[in-house]
Amino acid sequence: MITYLFNPFRYIAGVKSLVAGILVLLLTAITGYFSHTHFPDLISIKLSPAFPLWYFVAQVFTNWLVISIVLYMLALIFSSSSVRIIDIFGTQALARVPYFLAAFTGFFGAMHKFGQYILYTRFHQGEPVNLTSTDVVLAVSLMIVSLLLSIWTIILMYNAFRISANVKGGKAVALFITAFIISIVATLFLSRYYLSLITG
Amino acid sequence: MERKLPIVCPSCDSELKVNSLHCESCSTTISGLFELPLLLKLSRKEQDFILNFVKASGSLKIMAEKLKLSYPTVRNMLDDLIGKIEKLQHTPQ
């Protein structure tokens, strides 16, 4: 059971994981569109205003493509095995399953209210918001859930890379951290570019 | 019960060698000091993997289907096995 949750790539990779992963990415983008939850970089989960659907689709697919491209290049350079591109891209797509669940957090009104409360009290933006203790408990619980989902995603992404590229130990960790940092910067930059297309 | 061929010394973990061979048919026993063939130095699981790999005509795809594992997992098992065989071949006897 633990293996299925944290390393399903022992059993599924290639075309199967790519098809399933792309489906998950599409569902994540659509759910995010309706719940106003977006993913402005590789791991962030944030509430968003009502943006067009293409923004959510572009963001979700960019996050997947950027890390996959970087990991594939690193695998080609540093792995002694013959690495298949479909394994890297397929497993990385499937590794983003937890973010599909994270996209549902935006459906809870408490998250939006909490966000508005923080904006008003810390940055003096928007209108004053009355937060009930239930809202606070729910919002904090959802933030903890989001954090756990992010950690789960990172573990899945690492295991996907480890299996697909056949790298182990310190080498796998170092390559993954490198790819992770490059991807965060690149996705953040691209996400801001998409945002500029909307806001002008 | 199937008996396992010991390949390492239970006392000091050194590699074992063949000391005698016996013919069940005529009870002839040959004594000497013989190296274990390379394949016998592998674990039973690794030997089974090689047998299955040959039976699958060297297809990792078929192996993955048979073992119900993903293609890269099976490829990694093969790569690890190749690494172990190369290490055994380069280990001085």
Side-chain angles (χ1 to χ4, degrees):
Chain A
M1 186 65 190
I2 298 267
T3 308
Y4 274 104
L5 275 178
F6 293 103
N7 192 12
F9 317 108
R10 189 172 158 75
Y11 309 103
I12 181 170
V15 179
K16 277 183 195 170
S17 65
L18 185 68
V19 172
I22 287 176
L23 191 68
V24 165
L25 292 175
L26 276 173
L27 289 172
T28 305
I30 294 166
T31 311
Y33 169 71
F34 286 110
S35 68
H36 302 303
T37 308
H38 72 149
F39 307 94
D41 62 55
L42 190 65
I43 52 161
S44 295
I45 306 161
K46 287 181 180 162
L47 295 173
S48 71
F51 288 142
L53 180 62
W54 74 260
Y55 171 80
F56 293 89
V57 175
Q59 210 173 49
V60 163
F61 275 81
T62 299
N63 290 343
W64 161 58
L65 285 170
V66 167
I67 185 81
S68 301
I69 291 166
V70 178
L71 287 173
Y72 182 59
M73 288 195 298
L74 289 175
L76 285 181
I77 299 166
F78 294 101
S79 174
S80 49
S81 284
S82 55
V83 182
R84 298 194 312 174
I85 190 168
I86 199 159
D87 288 328
I88 297 273
F89 280 71
T91 55
Q92 285 302 320
L94 198 59
R96 303 193 72 80
V97 163
Y99 275 22
F100 170 55
L101 303 175
F104 284 87
T105 55
F107 281 123
F108 294 88
M111 282 295 275
H112 290 276
K113 274 174 85 175
F114 195 76
Q116 285 165 348
Y117 176 79
I118 298 288
L119 268 179
Y120 183 76
T121 52
R122 304 283 296 175
F123 304 104
H124 308 292
Q125 287 177 20
E127 299 293 318
V129 180
N130 279 330
L131 269 183
T132 63
S133 53
T134 314
D135 288 333
V136 175
V137 171
L138 189 59
V140 171
S141 305
L142 287 169
M143 280 189 268
I144 292 168
V145 168
S146 299
L147 180 70
L148 292 175
L149 290 171
S150 297
I151 293 168
W152 184 17
T153 304
I154 294 168
I155 294 170
L156 283 172
M157 283 163 67
Y158 171 71
N159 282 330
F161 173 61
R162 200 171 51 82
I163 297 267
S164 305
N166 194 18
V167 282
K168 296 181 181 80
K171 188 179 172 183
V173 174
L175 290 175
F176 184 73
I177 291 173
T178 306
F180 198 81
I181 293 167
I182 294 170
S183 301
I184 283 193
V185 174
T187 50
L188 201 61
F189 176 78
L190 286 166
S191 201
R192 280 185 186 170
Y193 170 70
Y194 297 145
L195 198 63
S196 73
L197 293 177
I198 298 169
T199 54
Chain B
M1 190 184 81
E2 195 182 351
R3 292 170 68 193
K4 201 171 91 178
L5 176 73
I7 54 171
V8 288
C9 173
S11 172
C12 70
D13 285 339
S14 296
E15 193 182 285
L16 290 171
K17 292 192 190 302
V18 179
N19 184 233
S20 69
L21 294 157
H22 183 74
C23 173
E24 271 189 337
S25 170
C26 68
S27 288
T28 299
T29 300
I30 303 161
S31 290
L33 199 61
F34 308 99
E35 281 290 329
L36 276 173
L38 193 139
L39 286 177
L40 289 182
K41 291 179 185 175
L42 301 172
S43 71
R44 186 58 192 259
K45 207 177 153 188
E46 289 163 338
Q47 289 175 32
D48 286 344
F49 183 90
I50 292 170
L51 275 177
N52 287 327
F53 187 60
V54 173
K55 280 192 208 167
S57 308
S59 165
L60 285 175
K61 215 173 172 180
I62 295 172
M63 281 286 284
E65 280 169 20
K66 269 188 183 174
L67 297 171
K68 292 186 170 61
L69 294 171
S70 68
Y71 178 94
T73 302
V74 178
R75 185 208 55 213
N76 296 349
M77 287 162 81
L78 180 65
D79 286 346
D80 291 347
L81 197 49
I82 292 168
K84 188 172 177 182
I85 289 170
E86 281 174 350
K87 201 177 163 191
L88 284 170
Q89 281 178 326
H90 293 111
T91 306
Q93 304 299 321

